[in-house]
Amino acid sequence: MVIIVGAGPIGLATAIELKRRNIPAKIIERGCLVNSIFHYPKDMTFFSTSERLEIGDVPFISHNSKPTRREALEYYRRAAESYDLDIHLYEEVQNISGQDQNFTVQTDKDNYKASKVVVATGFYDVPKMMDIPGENLDKVRHYYDEAHAYAWQDVLVIGGGNSAVDAALETYRTNANVTLAVRDSQIKESVKYWVKPDIQNRIKNEEITGYFNTEVKEIRKNEVVLDTPGGTKTIANDFVLAMTGYKPNFNLMTSFGIDLTDDEDKMPVYNEKNLETNRKGMYVAGVVCGGMDTSKLFIENTRIHAEHIAGDIEKKLL
């Protein structure tokens, strides 16, 4: 039995590849199926085309050139059902003891024996905190859902990437008074090409107030303090959408016995050929392999991890 921690697209893909090799696998997920995608904004459209998100040769047919969050949720349910995968949802892995060929995976519901373990937990569960006064106020959100709640409110959006730009544009279109604070000198190059001109024009026309080379110094009940190139500015504020990004759960990985690199990326230590970590018999898969550099690994360029891992496990279990 192989235990896969995480029911994201790459966790599902790995279970599919193992099943194709007649190797039993069980997926354990602390949340819902493809939990990260479920927590994306409701109206989000992927940058990738649908075929680049496919797993297990299950066709992903989208109504448009770029699939939506809702279409992706339906697709991954269908992929899991197509292969009748053994998936335990809303069950959290708490400890992994033992050694290669004889692991014990302890959850909040049961204990499972496993010959191998694959960690495919992604990075969306832990937001990058700004560590500034007021960040713990109820009005501060590190996850953006939809725009309606912010109609006619003073909203500060923090960040210059896709999540921040989408949040700024959508809340603006519900008649929120939107300010965008960006640490860099411009919107990120990685922002979706069909969205970037929109945010640039809204800022140029002063429909959205944009502050660049700017840091948020403090969040207060009814205002925020910005450190801008023009000096300190205090503006009225009802909500803060801190789209500052996310990071892997490093504490979870180290508790599993996976070493991290000493540099700022904090990448898990693993063999690039088979993705086996320093803990023999334990593998990493998907975007979690990138550590803090969460911008270089995506579903489409980590799907191959499933084949590498399943192939290596097949050789070692023969």
Side-chain angles (χ1 to χ4, degrees), residues 298-313:
F298 308 95
I299 298 170
E300 56 264 42
N301 63 2
T302 58
R303 293 178 298 177
I304 193 66
H305 290 179
E307 296 179 25
H308 291 331
I309 292 171
D312 190 67
I313 289 175

Side-chain angles (χ1 to χ4, degrees), residues 271-277 283-284 305 308-309 312 316:
N271 183 318
E272 292 188 3
K273 292 183 179 180
N274 61 11
L275 291 108
E276 188 174 23
T277 69
Y283 300 77
V284 284
H305 290 179
H308 291 331
I309 292 171
D312 190 67
K316 291 176 176 175

Side-chain angles (χ1 to χ4, degrees), residues 68-223:
T68 65
R69 164 191 172 275
R70 184 170 183 172
E71 288 175 324
L73 293 176
E74 189 279 331
Y75 169 75
Y76 289 115
R77 288 198 306 271
R78 183 159 51 85
E81 290 170 352
S82 296
Y83 284 90
D84 191 25
L85 299 180
D86 183 4
I87 305 174
H88 291 223
L89 301 175
Y90 303 103
E91 184 169 353
E92 186 169 5
V93 174
Q94 297 178 328
N95 185 52
I96 301 176
S97 58
Q99 57 190 1
D100 186 24
Q101 304 289 351
N102 189 27
F103 289 110
T104 298
V105 179
Q106 178 185 350
T107 77
D108 57 355
K109 294 182 179 179
D110 209 340
N111 291 329
Y112 305 96
K113 287 293 185 180
S115 57
K116 307 286 183 182
V117 175
V118 180
V119 179
T121 49
F123 65 84
Y124 203 64
D125 287 338
V126 183
K128 294 178 184 176
M129 305 301 285
M130 298 176 289
D131 296 323
I132 60 173
E135 189 174 10
N136 61 339
L137 291 173
D138 289 340
K139 71 175 187 175
V140 180
R141 314 285 165 79
H142 285 276
Y143 294 90
Y144 169 71
D145 184 2
E146 58 180 331
H148 174 76
Y150 307 105
W152 306 304
Q153 303 298 294
D154 290 319
V155 176
L156 173 68
V157 180
I158 305 171
N162 279 297
S163 296
V165 168
D166 286 345
L169 288 171
E170 290 178 18
T171 52
Y172 156 73
R173 292 196 166 92
T174 59
N175 295 316
N177 176 31
V178 180
T179 300
L180 181 65
V182 184
R183 290 174 55 183
D184 300 321
S185 60
Q186 60 184 0
I187 298 296
K188 289 185 178 180
E189 292 295 330
S190 58
V191 168
K192 291 172 281 195
Y193 65 84
W194 64 92
V195 173
K196 194 171 184 180
D198 192 358
I199 188 68
Q200 291 172 327
N201 287 331
R202 300 293 75 74
I203 293 172
K204 180 180 178 181
N205 296 339
E206 299 183 349
E207 295 163 303
I208 292 175
T209 303
Y211 288 104
F212 295 90
N213 296 309
T214 292
E215 300 273 359
V216 182
K217 291 183 62 178
E218 184 178 355
I219 302 170
R220 301 170 183 164
K221 183 177 180 180
N222 298 309
E223 57 190 17

Side-chain angles (χ1 to χ4, degrees), residues 94-96 119 248-261 266-269 278-279 282 284:
Q94 297 178 328
N95 185 52
I96 301 176
V119 179
N249 189 332
F250 295 120
N251 290 336
L252 184 68
M253 284 195 288
T254 55
S255 75
F256 290 167
I258 299 174
D259 290 340
L260 306 177
T261 59
K266 294 186 177 180
M267 291 176 59
V269 174
N278 60 281
R279 187 174 182 184
M282 185 175 291
V284 284

Side-chain angles (χ1 to χ4, degrees), residues 237-256:
N237 177 258
D238 298 305
F239 290 99
V240 174
L241 302 179
M243 303 291 98
T244 50
Y246 308 93
K247 62 183 180 181
N249 189 332
F250 295 120
N251 290 336
L252 184 68
M253 284 195 288
T254 55
S255 75
F256 290 167

